[in-house]
Amino acid sequence: MSRRVVRQSKFRHVFGQAAKADQSYEDIRVSKVTWDSSFCAVNPKFLAIIVEAGGGGAFIVLPLAKTGRVDKNYPLVTGHTAPVLDIDWCPHNDNVIASASDDTTIMVWQIPDYTPVRNITEPVITLEGHSKRVGILSWHPTARNVLLSAGGDNVIIIWNVGTGEVLLSLDDLHPDVIHSVCWNSNGSLIATTCKDKTLRIIDPRKGQVVAERFAAHEGMRPMRAVFTRQGHIFTTGFTRMSQRELGLWDPNNFEEPVALQEMDTSNGVLLPFYDPDSSIVYLCGKGDSSIRYFEITEEAPFVHYLNTFSSKEPQRGVGFMPKRGLDVSKCEIARFYKLHERKCEPIIMTVPRKSDLFQDDLYPDTPGPEPALEADEWLAGQDAEPVLISLKDGYVPPKHRELRVTKRNILDARPPAGPRRSQSASDAPLAQHTLETILEEIKALRERVQAQEQRITALENMLCELVDGTD
């Protein structure tokens, strides 16, 4: 008789558990806008959630420790003139967050460690370059101040946030709406999915598609794609019969999938959250009440089902905590922030262990908050893997960090947004100012005016072309 051998894996018994009621965040009016982003972003210091807001777009930023009922007058981050569609924390500064909106702009905000007394309305910088809504944001994993945005104009723009400059614009690679964009681990490639059903691997600095696969999933509904630790691409999508499906692909051989599995017939888009340290991918469907997770290995069938965390309430969105924000003393290997209609509930994934000692097999060194490259170095062709840190003694987030000044870096030329009425030099006490800070602020304001004038000129040219066309 042959005996069935159970696959050996330290993650076979991972289990999910909702946090206790007093650890949730109550009375938050989560946004109802129809958009397939996660609506939530989290880091070791703050939780950010896109919320309903009259007369524009807004999101709320809460210190992680501020659990319980949220006051209805709690200050918001407001500045967009239309709904916010995506938010993303900077991986190299826990106080900096970017927001993308239906109003075609991206705004970058510096969040203070203290609780502001009124709404934060002044972004550090506004990035204008898209002609339609901006629905996708993703910071570069290793280069300082490099931010990617994708808009309804089918254009991907890569910005140097520190100077407000467009580093790269990829405007002729996608013939239709872009559904998702993901960097690889060192930021040398991006994977995109598009309404034309094509999965593309793009070298952004060359502006070239280096590999592509048409109909990785044959259904018409949106696909998602993420890079894995091994350099493969993990995708979620739909079959022709509208069943949800997951796939694993080798970019060097896109002809056949490494793995392809049908799942169920629900119509919610599956958002994949991949942890490279454990090579576990968590699938969270908007409108689902469950989180399924799989381990990706180099042994057939390559994508191994582990378990499902189920609850009663459907999720409106999900935030995924970076590894450095987890509690290693409790063998926590992932933490999600599940959005309900009026609250946010942490979901903790744990590997059961008897010992209280640090489990070094569960926690290899993981990307820390230090960038490996400057924006100019990356643009010039350099690549570098993330700077890793050990979690053996736990991770303590630093206090409020101003971004370091680089050439023409206006992020640092302005004080953090906070309760002060105005951030202009004339409003603050004279003693706080030096000749250098005043000159820096004048320079920053001039650059903003210049950017606005360029935008006005571009719009006037477009208007003239439209008038000439109608004649």
Side-chain angles (χ1 to χ4, degrees):
M1 276 180 67
S2 63
R3 274 191 319 142
R4 185 167 173 270
V5 178
V6 176
R7 186 178 71 90
Q8 290 296 309
S9 169
K10 57 187 169 234
F11 301 114
R12 271 182 49 229
H13 301 293
V14 172
F15 71 97
Q17 197 168 18
K20 293 176 182 173
D22 63 351
Q23 294 302 304
S24 293
Y25 306 82
E26 306 273 356
D27 265 7
I28 296 169
R29 297 192 312 151
V30 177
S31 174
K32 294 186 173 68
V33 69
T34 307
W35 192 253
D36 285 325
S37 72
S38 58
F39 285 11
C40 179
V42 63
N43 70 20
K45 290 171 86 166
F46 297 108
L47 168 69
I49 300 167
I50 302 174
V51 293
E52 285 287 289
F59 58 98
I60 190 169
V61 178
L62 299 166
L64 277 192
K66 193 171 178 56
T67 53
R69 191 184 179 111
V70 177
D71 189 286
K72 67 177 188 213
N73 296 317
Y74 193 90
L76 304 177
V77 182
T78 59
H80 289 288
T81 56
V84 176
L85 301 178
D86 199 13
I87 48 178
D88 196 26
W89 286 106
C90 176
H92 306 128
N93 188 329
D94 288 339
N95 292 80
V96 170
I97 188 169
S99 59
S101 169
D102 216 336
D103 66 9
T104 76
T105 67
I106 301 116
M107 293 183 177
V108 181
W109 310 82
Q110 197 138 16
I111 306 298
D113 281 335
Y114 54 83
T115 302
V117 296
R118 55 177 64 91
N119 288 352
I120 298 174
T121 57
E122 281 291 314
V124 176
I125 191 168
T126 301
L127 305 172
E128 297 177 324
H130 288 281
S131 59
K132 293 186 179 176
R133 63 165 59 174
V134 187
I136 297 170
L137 287 177
S138 184
W139 290 90
H140 192 285
T142 62
R144 188 195 309 274
N145 290 348
V146 175
L147 176 66
L148 177 149
S149 63
D153 50 8
N154 313 337
V155 174
I156 291 174
I157 299 179
I158 298 174
W159 309 82
N160 181 346
V161 170
T163 62
E165 293 175 303
V166 173
L167 294 179
L168 300 161
S169 183
L170 310 175
D171 47 13
D172 54 1
L173 299 181
H174 297 89
D176 214 326
V177 176
I178 299 161
H179 285 148
S180 74
V181 182
C182 174
W183 296 96
N184 66 350
S185 64
N186 67 2
S188 59
L189 298 171
I190 55 175
T192 70
T193 60
C194 179
K195 194 175 179 181
D196 70 351
K197 302 208 303 190
T198 303
L199 167 64
R200 294 175 175 84
I201 312 300
I202 296 169
D203 183 331
R205 287 169 296 196
K206 292 180 180 172
Q208 293 176 351
V209 176
V210 295
E212 63 183 354
R213 163 73 198 216
F214 176 70
H217 300 281
E218 294 185 341
M220 287 303 296
R221 300 217 41 163
M223 254 194 305
R224 288 286 187 277
V226 291
F227 277 97
T228 72
R229 182 171 71 191
Q230 296 88 354
H232 290 162
I233 310 290
F234 178 88
T235 58
T236 64
F238 293 80
T239 67
R240 198 173 287 161
M241 303 301 291
S242 291
Q243 278 200 300
R244 292 199 292 199
E245 190 174 49
L246 59 82
L248 189 66
W249 306 85
D250 181 352
N252 298 315
N253 178 18
F254 260 150
E255 292 304 310
E256 289 296 321
V258 177
L260 199 62
Q261 296 180 22
E262 287 186 12
M263 294 178 63
D264 56 25
T265 51
S266 179
N267 61 1
V269 174
L270 283 169
L271 305 179
F273 296 92
Y274 178 71
D275 172 22
D277 295 346
S278 60
S279 205
I280 294 176
V281 64
Y282 302 85
L283 303 184
C284 308
K286 289 192 93 168
D288 287 11
S289 53
S290 62
I291 299 173
R292 271 170 279 207
Y293 38 107
F294 299 79
E295 186 178 2
I296 299 173
T297 71
E298 295 181 9
E299 314 158 11
F302 306 105
V303 181
H304 307 270
Y305 172 75
L306 290 174
N307 211 334
T308 300
F309 166 80
S310 296
S311 58
K312 293 177 183 174
E313 297 288 327
Q315 54 227 15
R316 296 280 292 277
V318 174
F320 187 49
M321 175 67 80
K323 208 54 170 279
R324 57 198 169 89
L326 302 181
D327 187 345
V328 297
S329 67
K330 294 179 180 171
C331 296
E332 183 183 7
I333 62 160
R335 191 189 313 153
F336 292 90
Y337 286 77
K338 173 183 169 180
L339 300 186
H340 300 243
E341 197 170 332
R342 299 281 302 191
K343 75 170 182 178
C344 175
E345 175 186 44
I347 309 288
I348 293 154
M349 301 287 179
T350 308
V351 176
R353 291 281 169 96
K354 291 178 180 176
S355 170
D356 290 334
L357 298 175
F358 177 72
Q359 307 292 316
D360 52 9
D361 62 323
L362 297 182
Y363 301 106
D365 288 356
T366 196
E370 287 303 316
L373 293 171
E374 298 297 336
D376 295 342
E377 294 172 329
W378 177 77
L379 187 63
Q382 290 189 45
D383 291 320
E385 292 300 320
V387 178
L388 303 181
I389 58 169
S390 169
L391 297 178
K392 185 164 187 177
D393 301 316
Y395 172 77
V396 179
K399 285 291 182 185
H400 183 91
R401 289 175 62 186
E402 292 288 336
L403 295 192
R404 291 177 189 162
V405 177
T406 55
K407 185 182 176 186
R408 285 179 297 146
N409 188 336
I410 62 175
L411 272 179
D412 294 326
R414 299 166 60 84
R420 287 183 298 194
R421 182 171 59 83
S422 170
Q423 295 190 352
S424 69
S426 58
D427 278 356
L430 193 62
Q432 291 181 10
H433 291 288
T434 63
L435 180 63
E436 187 181 356
T437 59
I438 292 170
L439 288 172
E440 279 179 353
E441 184 154 355
I442 290 169
K443 183 181 173 187
L445 288 168
R446 279 189 176 141
E447 285 178 354
R448 289 179 71 186
V449 169
Q450 190 178 358
Q452 298 285 357
E453 285 174 346
Q454 288 172 351
R455 176 73 174 153
I456 289 167
T457 305
L459 288 170
E460 285 173 342
N461 291 338
M462 287 166 64
L463 189 61
C464 291
E465 287 173 12
L466 285 170
V467 171
D468 291 345
T470 54
D471 291 345

